[in-house]
Amino acid sequence: MSSLLKDAYLTISSPSSGIYTEKGSKFLSFAFHVETREEAQTLVSAHRKEYYDARHVCYAYMLGPGREEFRSVDDGEPSGTAGRPILGQINSNNLTDVLVIVVRYFGGTKLGVSGLIRAYKTAAAAAIDSANIEERTIDDVVTLTFAYPLLNQVMRVVKEVEPAIVRQDFEMECLMVLRIRKACTNALLGKLEKIREVKVTVSD
């Protein structure tokens, strides 16, 4: 897997699932793209309701392009044997904005600490392996306001740098809203600075 620039991250684009069985226990795994803690909790609650007869519903998530918010939950399994191995699979794939849930149906035979860790790790890996992993960029939103006579100069810069045009209104006072990969923002701003009387604001 190629190394990522600081303005890019990996996530999954759509839900996926997997399954692992060990000594009669069945581990159903599910991976989802989520962007907030609330989204993750809603999905966990829905799975607890759907798989109400399961012994454990364990999960882990990682959030944010900077991978700054995460959580792992063992849901009654011995500490560190479920949530942490699930989170470990998210980390080993360099993923973020991802929730992985593993539902366990107990098969009557205890697996022991090492067996549980292996089972939850393998189940989580199965869901991630079947997911479509994609690279997304961290973008800036650049808003431009300028007088209509400057339009040709501004459009020349936009053609050169090729940001995405989110919105444009061309009246006597023109407005353009652009979305551009963070690594390219300075190049865009540098060219716009050469056009006098263009007002520029940048936001995430």
Side-chain angles (χ1 to χ4, degrees):
M1 189 176 295
S2 61
S3 60
L4 296 173
L5 296 174
K6 290 182 179 178
D7 68 341
Y9 61 95
L10 295 176
T11 189
I12 65 173
S13 58
S14 56
S16 61
S17 61
I19 187 170
Y20 176 73
T21 57
E22 177 75 21
K23 295 181 180 176
S25 282
K26 186 182 292 185
F27 297 82
L28 310 177
S29 56
F30 308 89
F32 300 93
H33 175 82
V34 294
E35 296 183 4
T36 66
R37 187 186 321 156
E38 290 73 23
E39 280 184 81
Q41 294 297 342
T42 297
L43 284 164
V44 170
S45 296
H47 280 69
R48 288 193 196 284
K49 187 174 181 181
E50 181 175 354
Y51 299 97
Y52 64 91
D53 54 342
R55 177 70 68 91
H56 305 281
V57 179
C58 307
Y59 66 93
Y61 60 73
M62 178 70 69
L63 300 176
R67 310 179 82 246
E68 61 273 356
E69 183 178 355
F70 57 89
R71 189 179 183 202
S72 61
V73 173
D74 295 315
D75 191 39
E77 294 282 31
S79 179
T81 62
R84 197 175 298 163
I86 298 170
L87 185 62
Q89 288 305 297
I90 296 174
N91 283 330
S92 67
N93 286 277
N94 294 312
L95 298 175
T96 192
D97 286 348
V98 168
L99 163 71
V100 177
I101 301 171
V102 179
V103 177
R104 181 190 182 188
Y105 283 92
F106 184 56
T109 302
K110 291 186 176 181
L111 303 182
V113 169
S114 61
L116 285 172
I117 291 172
R118 181 177 64 252
Y120 279 100
K121 174 183 175 181
T122 306
I128 292 171
D129 287 347
S130 66
N132 180 35
I133 296 176
E134 64 180 23
E135 179 179 318
R136 296 190 182 184
T137 58
I138 305 169
D139 300 334
D140 283 327
V141 175
V142 180
T143 302
L144 314 177
T145 53
F146 53 92
Y148 188 82
L150 298 175
L151 178 59
N152 285 342
Q153 293 180 67
V154 171
M155 290 306 296
R156 195 174 301 123
V157 170
V158 169
K159 266 187 182 174
E160 287 176 9
V161 186
E162 297 184 320
I165 299 173
V166 178
R167 180 185 166 195
Q168 52 187 11
D169 295 319
F170 299 144
E171 305 292 339
M172 285 308 295
E173 178 79 358
C174 297
L175 169 74
M176 290 191 77
V177 180
L178 310 173
R179 181 176 293 279
I180 188 165
R181 185 168 178 162
K182 195 174 278 289
C184 302
T185 299
N186 285 340
L188 175 64
L189 298 181
K191 290 179 180 292
L192 290 170
E193 281 173 7
K194 296 174 184 176
I195 308 173
R196 298 181 65 183
E197 299 179 13
V198 175
K199 295 177 183 175
V200 181
T201 57
V202 180
S203 59
D204 293 333

